[in-house]
Structure formats: C-alpha cells, structure tokens
Amino acid sequence: MSGGPIDRTPVSDADVCVVGAGPAGALVADRLAADRDVVVLDAGPRFDPADRLARQERAIRPSYGRPDVWDVGGERDAHANSGERVYPLNHARVKGIGGSTLHWQGMVMRLHEADFNSETERGVGEDWPIEYADLRPYYAAAERELGVAGASDNPYAPPREEPHPMPAFEPSYSDSLFAEACEELEIDMHSVPNARNSEAYDGRSACVGYGTCQPVCPAGAKYDATVHVERAETAGATVIDRAPVQRLEHAGDRVTAAVYATPDGETHRQTADAFVVACGGVETPRLLLLSASDAYPDGLANSSGTVGKFFMDHLFAGAGGTLDEPTRQNHVGFYTSACDQFYDEADESLAPFKLEFFNYAGPSPVEQALTGEDWGDALLDRLRDGYGTHIAMGGLVEQLPRSDSYVTLDPDRTDDHGNPVPEIHWSVDDRALRTVERATEIQREILETLGADVEWVAGPDATGPAYHHMGTTRMSADPDDGVVDADCRTHDLDNCWIASSSVFPTGGAMNPTLTIAALALRVADDLDDWLAAA
C-alpha cells in the first residue's frame, strides 16, 4: 500500500454516490462504474490484504475477542440497547472496505417463493411488493458475481434456471455420521451453497482449508466485497475510505449531497445526480435519522414513520454434545450439509426454519493448546482425549416484523464525531420462540439417534441473533407502509435508492447475503435506466 497522502476530497460531476463499501455498495459501484462516474464513501479503513495472516493469528488466540480481529470497538462503534433482549451489535460487524463479508461465514441461499408472500401464504408477516420471479434472474447473476459452489440436490429449494457456478463441496466426515441418524428418522440432508471457491474461480484460489473462515479467510477463496470494490476502481470508480457520512442534504424531493468527515478533521460535501445508501440494517436508518430536516423532522425519507422500525434478525437454534468416537470436527470452517425439509411447513403458528449440520463443534487443537497450562505429554494426552469427539447442529428461525423492534438514535451517547449512536430495541415474537423450541426438538432427536450425549441446547431461553440486520427501511407498495418502493428507491426522494437487507419486509430463515446481492444488482439496473432517462 502507498505510504503517501490519500486524497479524500470530493469528486466533481459525479453521477452516483454510494454510501457504504460492503457487498451491496460494491456490487452497485461495479455494475455502474464502466459507464458512470461513481464515488463510494465508506466509514472504515481500507484493510491491507497482507495483514490477513496476522488477523487470522489474532482470531485463534483466546486473548482476543472476535471484534478485535477487524478493529471493531471504541467511540466510533458505540451503540446502546433498550429492548427486552440485549443485542451485541459489535460482535459481528466490520466497518471498512468490504464490510461484513470480511468476516462472514459465506453461506448463500435464495429465499423461498413463500417468503415473498408471507401474509398471503402463511397468514402472518408482510407481502413483498415483488415476487420470487422478479428476483430470480438477479439471484443467478449474484451467484455468478460472488462465485457460489453448490449442487441441485435440495428438493426443497426454490426453482432455479442454471447450475451453480462451481460444484458443491463434498460432505464432511461428520456429515456421514449425521446421515445415518437422518436416514433412520426420514430426515433429508442436502448440500449447502457456499460463496467460497471449491475450485479456482475469478482469479481467486480454491479453498485451502485454513478453517478460520469466520472471522477471516487469509486465502481469499471465500468471497468478500473487496473483489467488486477493486473491480469498480479498475473501471474508474473512486473509493474513499475513512469517510463516515454525517448526514445527507436534500432540496425538495432530491438528495443533493453526502456530507462526510475525514481523518484530518475536514468535512466535505459529495454531490451527485443520484445516491445509493448501502450501510446495512443499522447504519442505514441511523444515517436517515441523522439527516432530519425541516421538511423531514423525523428523519430523511421518513414520511411513513417506518425508518428504523421492524428491526429483524434470525434466531439461532442449536444443540450439541459428544460422541464416544472421533467426529473430526473443526477440520472444516463452514458447514457442508443442511436440511430445509421443514421450511415450507410454516404457518401462523410456526415460522420457517432450516437445520445446519456443523463441522466446527468444540475447540480446535490450537484453541485447546492455547487455553491450557500443561505441556509435553500431558498436553498431548489432553488433546487426544478432548479433541474430535464433539458434534453439534445449528439452525436459523424467522422473526416476524414488529413495530416494537426498532433502531433509533440514543439521546445520551455520541460517537467520535459527536453524532448520536444507534440504539437497538430488539423484541422477539412468540411464534419465533415456539419455532426455536421445535427446531431444537428435532436437533436433539437427531443427536440422540446418533448416540450423542447432548450437553447443551440453545432453545427459546438461550437463543440469540445470527447478526443478520433486516427490515429497518422496508420495501412497500404503499408509501405509508414503508421507506422504499419495489425498485428500492425511496418513496419520498426521487434520486435516492437503498441497497441493503434493511429493505426486507420479512426475513425468511435463509442467510440474507445472496438476496442483498441480487437486490443490489437490481438497484444498479434501475438506477442506470433512471440516469439514462434523466
């Protein structure tokens, strides 16, 4: 990396200003950069790829917490909680070029058809103003862009138009153990689509098995958004790091400038013809609320009063224990088999959920060695006795959108620029908690059929978030019911789009990143058409 001064001054005559360089912002910028003057502003730094091995070492040392790996914390990342459940926001977010994909697990599933019509099909939730068919070609494009390894062996998945770009990863050894119990219980297992290379793809190597996928992949085999940031820059885009946007200015129904700060204490105004807010499910509503004006006293694009409302996440359901035989866990840093068999049984009483067969239960040999005080033969005996017999399952459960689950501004605490920090008020519905209990019943049955000694269960009383922030600027056909329209353009502002999981009216129970990517590509196409017609 260059040691010279970095130019963080605004770009003149920009067509598009994108706020956020995570997966959504990166894909929008890459899609538009060849034909449009694009500038991307991101609050965090540009991490040096050469540091990833050091970050991997930091990740496996017990003296470091997960946020430490990507320098999360401090005044910049301060937040508050006010809900019935504490939401540990900083545990799983990254501010910087690449965003959350720098530390994500890399699982990429499509939402099911009924997820787009939850109120009609299941009697609860909301219907999206788009159908699965509207997003289907963009899902395929997103799989190509990210590089997805998968197979067509899931009978419960929504229809698709072509094979995945790469073949699926082979089932793990512990998958074969699970398969015996699942066959006896007539529970189906199938492969999992991964945004990591099962073979060389797009100039990046195949997975080499470091096993530290979450929170860092030193090899670059797992997709992260720096791929598209760099591609956008090659095509002519300007990417400015450490440029946190303080507010959006507007005149009438058009955003006119993004006001951002720089490390030297300067404040700049980036003007553009169009703006894309791609800051994720927490920082996106926060920025709109910070941009309140006389015309929008409750926050920009908030005539509906729904900015920040309907904050959702996926709830975790899990169970695990030990077997009296080797399970070879922690050889693979991601899971390779899942079960969607119960997903479409969802109704008013039970939510959609999926089951995951873990490959990373229990401590790794490195973790065991670093946390003990014994050495030599005693350490070897402990590793032989305690490693490799753990086994576990996980799962994700949908949470319904609720008005009493929201993101707002904390009135008492400010960040390093004097702005109110995000306050999260997280509430969970009874339907989700019932479904967590149902999922853990199935998981326990599988583990006990396998012969495992079940030692822990993450049921309704122990569940937590999957760190998938959704719903806070939701999509709606009626401007009174949401923040953006079917094209993700804000109802109130003619030249402002939102590319984020924050536009999800419902969350389903599938990891959201592929849907984020598909929507971002769709936003780019709509924005390009708008610019052409302007």
Side-chain angles (χ1 to χ4, degrees), residues 76-393:
R76 184 198 68 174
D77 301 323
H79 63 282
N81 274 277
S82 61
E84 61 189 46
R85 293 170 179 266
V86 172
Y87 196 92
L89 179 63
N90 283 346
H91 180 72
R93 68 169 175 169
V94 177
K95 284 186 179 177
I97 306 301
S100 60
T101 53
L102 292 172
H103 75 157
W104 68 318
Q105 194 177 49
M107 321 315 292
V108 280
M109 305 86 174
R110 301 182 182 194
L111 289 176
H112 285 212
E113 291 169 292
D115 289 325
F116 293 88
N117 301 287
S118 181
E119 184 177 24
T120 299
E121 296 290 333
R122 297 166 178 157
V124 290
E126 297 286 328
D127 287 347
W128 294 45
I130 61 173
E131 303 280 346
Y132 173 77
D134 296 314
L135 213 52
R136 182 171 169 176
Y138 289 99
Y139 270 134
E143 289 168 346
R144 294 191 297 270
E145 291 292 340
L146 273 58
V148 175
S152 298
D153 64 335
N154 180 358
Y156 307 101
R160 54 182 305 111
E161 52 298 305
E162 59 190 54
H164 291 85
M166 289 175 282
F169 284 87
E170 292 293 326
S172 68
Y173 176 78
S174 61
D175 285 344
S176 69
L177 299 178
F178 280 118
E180 296 175 12
C182 287
E183 183 175 4
E184 182 176 338
L185 295 170
E186 298 184 341
I187 292 174
D188 293 332
M189 294 176 66
H190 49 77
S191 66
V192 179
N194 274 265
R196 57 173 48 79
N197 297 346
S198 59
E199 59 189 23
Y201 184 85
D202 195 27
R204 296 179 287 123
S205 76
C207 175
V208 296
Y210 276 114
T212 58
C213 314
Q214 200 176 36
V216 58
C217 172
K222 182 185 69 174
Y223 171 82
D224 68 70
T226 62
V227 169
H228 285 95
V229 170
E230 292 168 5
R231 190 183 298 173
E233 288 183 294
T234 299
T238 299
V239 179
I240 304 176
D241 73 330
R242 291 196 290 170
V245 175
Q246 308 297 292
R247 65 185 181 277
L248 299 175
E249 295 181 342
H250 75 96
D253 64 353
R254 292 175 69 90
V255 176
T256 55
V259 179
Y260 64 96
T262 56
D264 58 8
E266 296 293 321
T267 299
H268 300 284
R269 295 176 70 255
Q270 177 62 60
T271 60
D273 295 329
F275 292 79
V276 178
V277 183
C279 308
V282 172
E283 293 295 340
T284 291
R286 180 190 180 213
L287 176 58
L288 296 178
L289 294 173
L290 287 173
S291 303
S293 66
D294 290 341
Y296 297 100
D298 297 322
L300 198 60
N302 196 24
S303 64
S304 65
T306 58
V307 168
K309 295 289 183 65
F310 309 111
F311 174 68
M312 299 175 291
D313 204 318
H314 293 129
L315 296 185
F316 176 76
T322 54
L323 275 177
D324 289 332
E325 63 176 289
T327 61
R328 302 183 189 173
Q329 291 279 288
N330 258 308
H331 284 244
V332 184
F334 53 96
Y335 67 96
T336 44
S337 293
C339 173
D340 295 350
Q341 182 173 338
F342 308 96
Y343 195 96
D344 289 326
E345 295 177 6
D347 55 19
E348 293 183 28
S349 177
L350 288 177
F353 68 96
K354 68 183 177 80
L355 301 175
E356 305 161 345
F357 300 91
F358 283 173
N359 287 324
Y360 40 85
S364 70
V366 173
E367 290 173 310
Q368 283 197 298
L370 291 173
T371 54
E373 296 182 357
D374 47 359
W375 299 95
D377 290 341
L379 172 59
L380 184 60
D381 289 342
R382 181 163 64 85
L383 292 177
R384 283 172 175 163
D385 294 339
Y387 168 65
T389 59
H390 292 82
I391 196 160
M393 293 184 64

Side-chain angles (χ1 to χ4, degrees), residues 29-84:
D30 174 59
R31 194 84 156 193
L32 297 174
D35 300 311
R36 308 291 180 185
D37 290 327
V38 178
V39 58
V40 181
L41 305 172
D42 195 89
R46 188 186 296 262
F47 297 104
D48 188 343
D51 293 340
R52 289 197 178 189
L53 279 173
R55 294 185 188 280
Q56 180 202 37
E57 182 178 338
R58 192 183 301 174
I60 62 178
R61 289 186 178 274
S63 57
Y64 291 97
R66 179 171 165 179
D68 299 324
V69 176
W70 293 104
D71 307 331
V72 174
E75 250 191 324
R76 184 198 68 174
D77 301 323
H79 63 282
N81 274 277
S82 61
E84 61 189 46

